Amino acid sequence: MISLTGKTAVVTGGGSGIGEGVAKALVNAGCTVAIAGRTEDKLKSVAENLGGAPRILYHTMDVAQRDSVNNYFDWAHAQLGHIDILVNSAGINIPNRSMKAMIPEDWDKVLTTNATGAYNCIHAVLPNMRERKDGLIISISSVAGRRAIAPLAGVAYCASKFAVSALATAIAEEERENGIRITSIFPGEVATAILDKRPIPPTPEKRAAMVQPEDIGAAVLLIASLPPRTNILEMIIKPTTQSFI
């Protein structure tokens, strides 16, 4: 296992949920972390709770907007010098998830944020990683990105997460000769605010039995701590109470 002290990382969706859990784990492991999200107040709160600059920096970004992504990564490279680790954890879902209930605009919203958003961030970070012949990209997909759990996750969310994992697999094959490692994490139910968008949000008791954001943070640390000669291509992490359906 290698030390992460002195490594640099960008975490999207860093203002809450999985992104916050991952950022905390990386900061505690010695990384300098830049978090991104659409809401500055949330980013500021996370950064202050984790000790603030210079260990953790923040800047707003909308992953669905390419200009916003490019501006963010220009800022991040200026602040960090280079980016060793990118964690794509920004994601959304919608309340009306069935094909019958969903409107086309909701489809566009979910696919643009979850799938195109991951592409935008990977596209922005790859040139510097190629130049350095080193880099790790971890994309947070979902078990709904391996098997479509449509009634629970919804049509658009399943499609977007399949896209995220396919994107990671295809790019990993292209970039492996450049020393760039890419991993997809497939979480089951995670206790984050995205659950509030479910037609029937789970109870506090059910949330307590789910995977917690810090559990995903621990998984990211495992992946990032491997020597560059090795890579975990895929990881499924789910509650012990949940079957893989």
Side-chain angles (χ1 to χ4, degrees):
M1 307 294 281
I2 64 171
S3 171
L4 297 182
T5 300
K7 295 286 187 179
T8 60
V10 166
V11 180
T12 72
S16 63
I18 291 176
E20 181 179 359
V22 168
K24 181 178 181 179
L26 290 171
V27 167
N28 289 340
C31 290
T32 300
V33 179
I35 55 175
R38 291 178 297 178
T39 307
E40 185 171 6
D41 288 347
K42 290 183 179 180
L43 297 173
K44 181 180 180 181
S45 177
V46 169
E48 289 177 347
N49 288 338
L50 296 180
R55 293 290 302 282
I56 182 164
L57 311 172
Y58 67 92
H59 196 287
T60 56
M61 175 177 67
D62 184 350
V63 297
Q65 301 296 323
R66 198 156 290 140
D67 286 346
S68 177
V69 172
N70 291 336
N71 290 337
Y72 179 89
F73 280 93
D74 286 345
W75 169 84
H77 279 110
Q79 295 293 319
L80 302 175
H82 64 269
I83 297 168
D84 293 307
I85 304 165
L86 166 65
V87 182
N88 286 313
S89 61
I92 63 168
N93 207 344
I94 51 176
N96 298 322
R97 303 180 177 189
S98 70
M99 190 66 183
K100 181 178 180 180
M102 181 179 61
I103 60 175
E105 289 78 9
D106 281 343
W107 166 272
D108 293 342
K109 182 179 179 181
V110 173
L111 268 290
T112 302
T113 298
N114 294 1
T116 303
Y119 166 83
N120 289 341
C121 294
I122 294 172
H123 182 267
V125 83
L126 274 178
N128 184 260
M129 288 184 172
R130 288 193 192 107
E131 183 179 343
R132 295 172 50 243
K133 296 290 184 180
D134 184 50
L136 172 64
I137 298 170
I138 300 174
S139 289
I140 308 298
S141 182
S142 168
V143 293
R146 290 181 63 90
R147 184 169 180 176
I149 313 169
L152 183 63
V155 171
Y157 189 82
C158 290
S160 72
K161 291 302 185 178
F162 266 87
V164 167
S165 55
L167 177 71
T169 301
I171 297 175
E173 184 63 21
E174 287 186 15
E175 299 295 341
R176 59 188 174 86
E177 297 299 329
N178 292 320
I180 299 168
R181 297 172 291 154
I182 302 181
T183 301
S184 293
I185 296 180
F186 300 88
E189 292 184 306
V190 184
T192 69
I194 199 172
L195 299 175
D196 297 332
K197 295 291 186 181
R198 284 187 179 178
I200 303 176
T203 65
E205 291 76 19
K206 289 184 177 179
R207 292 182 196 233
M210 294 178 181
V211 174
Q212 302 299 310
E214 57 266 30
D215 302 334
I216 307 298
V220 167
L221 288 187
L222 169 64
I223 295 164
S225 298
L226 290 173
R229 66 176 179 270
T230 61
N231 186 30
I232 297 175
L233 297 174
E234 296 184 345
M235 176 186 288
I236 297 171
I237 178 169
K238 65 178 187 63
T240 54
T241 55
Q242 181 188 21
S243 63
F244 181 51
I245 56 175

